[in-house]
Amino acid sequence: MNLALVFRISGVLLILNGISMFFTPAMAVGMYGLEESGSVIVMVRALGISFLATGVLALMLPTWIETKLAAAGMLWGVINLAWVAHIGYDLYAANISGGAAVANLILTAILAILFFVMSSRHSN
């Protein structure tokens, strides 16, 4: 496994989440145990667009910045840690619930670790 592969895995997961949020927002809302309302649907669709764009960026970064990929990997690791903190707090505070939230927490934590480990290997 190398750092470019970790970026690709992250990109694919982000794109899949984005597709789910944008095209089936009611399902995405239900997976997180939230109440479905018009404003929540609008927010989930907007978040879906953000996930799609970030996923495409994650897929493209390894080819765009090959010489600085370790630095980008560290930044991506920090971003993933912020998501871990956000999702973890929301689960703890019972703002969200369900298996999808727990799965996203676990996958995001694993990706954060992989970004840090692979970035440090890539820079050496």
Side-chain angles (χ1 to χ4, degrees):
M1 178 176 283
N2 61 30
L3 185 54
L5 178 61
V6 177
F7 270 99
R8 287 185 190 99
I9 292 168
S10 177
V12 168
L13 290 173
L14 286 164
I15 288 170
L16 290 174
N17 272 303
I19 289 170
S20 169
M21 291 174 178
F22 186 77
F23 291 107
T24 60
M27 181 185 75
V29 167
M31 285 179 13
Y32 283 94
L34 300 173
E35 267 187 57
E36 185 179 335
S37 69
S39 58
V40 171
I41 295 295
V42 169
M43 292 301 294
V44 167
R45 277 200 180 118
L47 186 59
I49 292 171
S50 298
F51 271 56
L52 285 167
T54 306
V56 170
L57 182 61
L59 288 175
M60 299 304 296
L61 273 176
T63 57
W64 289 344
I65 58 167
E66 188 174 320
T67 59
K68 299 289 185 184
L69 197 56
M74 287 292 187
L75 175 62
W76 223 261
V78 170
I79 292 168
N80 276 275
L81 278 181
W83 274 106
V84 167
H86 172 68
I87 296 167
Y89 175 78
D90 280 342
L91 280 167
Y92 172 78
N95 294 329
I96 59 175
S97 62
V102 173
N104 273 328
L105 177 68
I106 292 168
L107 286 173
T108 305
I110 290 169
L111 282 170
I113 292 166
L114 285 172
F115 275 117
F116 288 127
V117 169
M118 292 301 170
S119 293
S120 65
R121 286 184 187 170
H122 189 79
S123 64
N124 292 334

